[in-house]
Amino acid sequence: MTDHHTYGTSTHTADDLVRLVSACLGAVFTERDSYYRGVYHLASSPNGRSEIQPNPIPGDDGEDDLYAPEHPSAQVLLLTTTPVADPAMQARLGSIEELIHLNHETV
């Protein structure tokens, strides 16, 4: 089983969110660049991974597409993946002002 959560914010920049989530979780993010996703930030550990990225991503037609089109107001996304549910991590992330929990999926 894998537990996925999506959070979004329209207030914080990606760099702001990296700083806030790092302080909250003790995670160390590295900046990555992807043709498909643009610039995003990744933190991995044995307990899972967290990714911070802009919702608008480069489209094939030169226009930006939304990574999460169902949440157009979220300018920056936080995606978390853990092997099992981690209520403590969810509670810590819930303490970040203006970070909204958008979706949860268990597969």
Side-chain angles (χ1 to χ4, degrees):
M1 172 170 61
T2 304
D3 200 53
H4 301 280
H5 290 266
T6 302
Y7 298 83
T9 181
S10 60
T11 307
H12 302 296
T13 66
D15 290 337
D16 290 341
L17 200 53
V18 165
R19 183 181 49 77
L20 292 166
V21 174
S22 292
C24 182
L25 299 181
V28 176
F29 286 88
T30 57
E31 186 175 292
R32 306 285 177 109
D33 194 0
S34 164
Y35 173 75
Y36 171 69
R37 295 169 60 183
V39 175
Y40 69 101
H41 305 269
L42 173 66
S44 294
S45 75
N47 297 329
R49 63 189 281 146
S50 298
E51 301 172 44
I52 296 173
Q53 70 174 65
N55 194 12
I57 57 174
D60 291 335
D61 58 2
E63 298 291 320
D64 287 345
D65 296 323
L66 293 179
Y67 186 84
E70 65 276 17
H71 303 289
S73 64
Q75 293 300 302
V76 178
L77 301 172
L78 167 63
L79 313 168
T80 64
T81 303
T82 54
V84 296
D86 188 344
M89 180 178 80
Q90 304 313 313
R92 289 192 306 269
L93 292 173
S95 71
I96 297 175
E97 288 187 39
E98 303 297 325
L99 184 64
I100 309 299
H101 188 258
L102 302 173
N103 188 33
H104 173 236
E105 182 180 343
T106 302
V107 290

